[in-house]
Amino acid sequence: MYDTENLIKRLLSSETKGDLLTLFHRNPGLIDTMEGIALRIGKRGDAIEAEVRDLADLGMLRISKLGDYEVVSLDVKRDMEIQHAITKYLESKSRGREV
Amino acid sequence: MARLRTGIPGLDEMLMGGFMEGDAVLVAGNAGTGKTTFGLQYLVNGIVQYGENGVLITFEQLPDQIYRDAMTFGWDLRKLEEENKIRIILTSPPVLMKMIEASMFDELIRDVSPRRIVIDSISHLETYVSPSELRKEVYRLLMYFKSKGLSSLLTWEVANLMNSGSPTEGVSINFLVDAIILLKLVEIESSMRRALLVLKMRGSDHDKTLREYLITSQGIKLSSPFAGYEGIITGTPRSTRLTEDSLREWAKAFGRKG
């Protein structure tokens, strides 16, 4: 189980993470190197590396080794699970407010 | 030999029924000629009309943009992707080559069971490899697809927009592909029109006429052959018809002589 509140805080902890999540959700078939991913949001590889690794640690992104390349892609199944957990959390929060 | 119909109105008749199954096809043309639309239409028709799943590999255009552009033709790629009939991959050429080497692409093939694959565009390989390596890498790619029973369609962007000469000049992969479709913008009587030519089709007869095509709200549609012009492919179209003015000039000159 996730600590959903902590998870949301980590997901929203930087603008770059937001950019990365938007990029992968709009383009779920994206698979590229750190530099290639960075290029698609107008940044450089070293500027996104820490955020990519944190999102991979949360399970939303997957980092795979392809020979001497490290490629990043969306873990679609895990991403769905996390989205589901967040939706449930937000629903319970709004129910709490209503009461 | 089985044929793979494109479903593009007018084209399958030119191809004597469609591309040969398992063949590699190059669609070459300038920017704005509709190469991506051609590739998408080939994939979507494959799924919707002929029950053949497909994969689109794009090196530049974001899938998000592709989904949106496809919708303008009524092609719901997101829905097809949800139904596991198409997969749209955005990557870079070296990663694609590594995916193939590491058998990562095999998983995708097992998952989607595609019959058609489109790469948009193969010109991007040029920025990663030397000209001599380009031919080898494209050959490797095509052989991989053939070994998996996939029919491939590669788009090739011709850099100079209004070039004179053939749009496939300088393309070192002409000999590797089985068929070449040439798309070209032509200026005729102060308006831009689009011309299609089946330049090559290994092992099959095909219509050799130069055809005008339109990009309609349903996609590409072939129109009538360009009649009454010559020099369209070389970039300097000239009317072969005698105009009223030229006839008058000719009559005047003839009259003077007489």
Side-chain angles (χ1 to χ4, degrees), chain A residues 26-27 29 31-32 40 68-69, chain B residues 63-64 90-92 94 98:
Chain A
R26 286 186 176 166
N27 307 286
I31 175 164
D32 213 337
R40 324 253 181 211
D68 45 352
Y69 281 98
Chain B
D64 191 27
L90 168 64
T91 189
S92 47
K98 287 283 176 190

Side-chain angles (χ1 to χ4, degrees), chain A residues 43-86:
Chain A
K43 294 198 161 99
R44 292 191 182 277
D46 50 3
I48 66 159
E49 188 165 350
E51 271 86 349
V52 167
R53 293 202 184 278
D54 199 29
L55 289 174
D57 188 47
L58 286 171
M60 293 193 96
L61 299 185
R62 188 166 34 193
I63 300 176
S64 324
K65 228 31 195 148
L66 279 182
D68 45 352
Y69 281 98
E70 216 176 33
V71 295
V72 184
S73 58
L74 181 72
D75 188 331
V76 180
K77 201 174 154 211
R78 190 93 160 131
D79 177 59
M80 293 282 277
E81 285 171 12
I82 293 174
Q83 282 193 47
H84 185 66
I86 292 173

Side-chain angles (χ1 to χ4, degrees), chain B residues 50-254:
Chain B
Y50 312 114
E52 295 168 352
N53 291 356
V55 171
L56 171 69
I57 294 169
T58 167
F59 292 135
E60 194 172 62
Q61 216 179 341
L62 289 168
D64 191 27
Q65 222 176 321
I66 297 172
Y67 298 132
R68 186 203 59 197
D69 296 347
M71 273 309 263
T72 65
F73 298 111
W75 307 327
D76 193 346
L77 297 180
R78 279 188 198 275
K79 186 171 167 274
L80 293 175
E81 207 163 31
E82 278 164 23
E83 292 168 355
N84 209 31
K85 292 176 176 168
I86 195 169
R87 194 63 62 85
I88 300 174
I89 308 286
L90 168 64
T91 189
S92 47
V95 172
L96 174 67
M97 300 314 284
K98 287 283 176 190
M99 281 170 78
I100 289 171
E101 263 174 49
S103 305
M104 203 170 163
F105 212 82
D106 296 353
E107 284 173 37
L108 177 87
I109 292 174
R110 273 194 297 272
D111 196 25
V112 186
S113 308
R115 294 274 307 277
R116 304 174 180 214
I117 185 159
V118 171
I119 298 191
D120 187 33
S121 81
I122 202 74
S123 329
H124 281 78
L125 260 179
E126 260 189 324
T127 52
Y128 292 91
V129 294
S130 65
S132 59
E133 283 292 297
L134 176 71
R135 195 175 159 133
K136 199 170 88 186
E137 289 303 309
V138 173
Y139 181 75
R140 194 197 311 275
L141 201 61
L142 296 182
M143 288 305 114
Y144 172 76
F145 294 147
K146 280 184 193 250
S147 74
K148 300 291 172 189
L150 288 168
S151 301
S152 56
L153 188 146
L154 322 173
T155 66
W156 179 273
E157 184 153 337
V158 180
N160 40 345
L161 194 64
M162 297 300 295
N163 67 321
S164 57
S166 163
T168 58
E169 263 176 24
V171 179
S172 63
I173 57 173
N174 282 358
F175 299 104
L176 301 181
V177 293
D178 304 294
I180 301 176
I181 303 284
L182 213 65
L183 305 178
K184 197 169 163 62
L185 290 172
V186 287
E187 185 193 351
I188 293 177
E189 290 163 2
S190 303
S191 72
M192 292 308 293
R193 290 159 72 175
R194 294 181 172 99
L196 179 147
L197 179 70
V198 181
L199 195 66
K200 165 183 172 178
M201 200 169 167
R202 205 173 268 158
S204 169
D205 192 16
H206 59 89
D207 186 338
K208 281 111 184 158
T209 58
L210 191 66
R211 299 281 291 268
E212 180 164 17
Y213 68 97
L214 306 168
I215 302 181
T216 71
S217 58
Q218 282 96 44
I220 289 173
K221 190 178 165 190
L222 264 68
S223 185
S224 51
F226 272 103
Y229 292 94
E230 59 181 22
I232 287 174
I233 282 298
T234 57
T236 51
R238 293 171 301 276
S239 172
T240 54
R241 291 194 196 102
L242 286 175
T243 63
E244 276 183 38
D245 283 349
S246 65
L247 270 176
R248 220 173 286 125
E249 289 300 314
W250 180 81
K252 254 195 264 175
F254 187 76

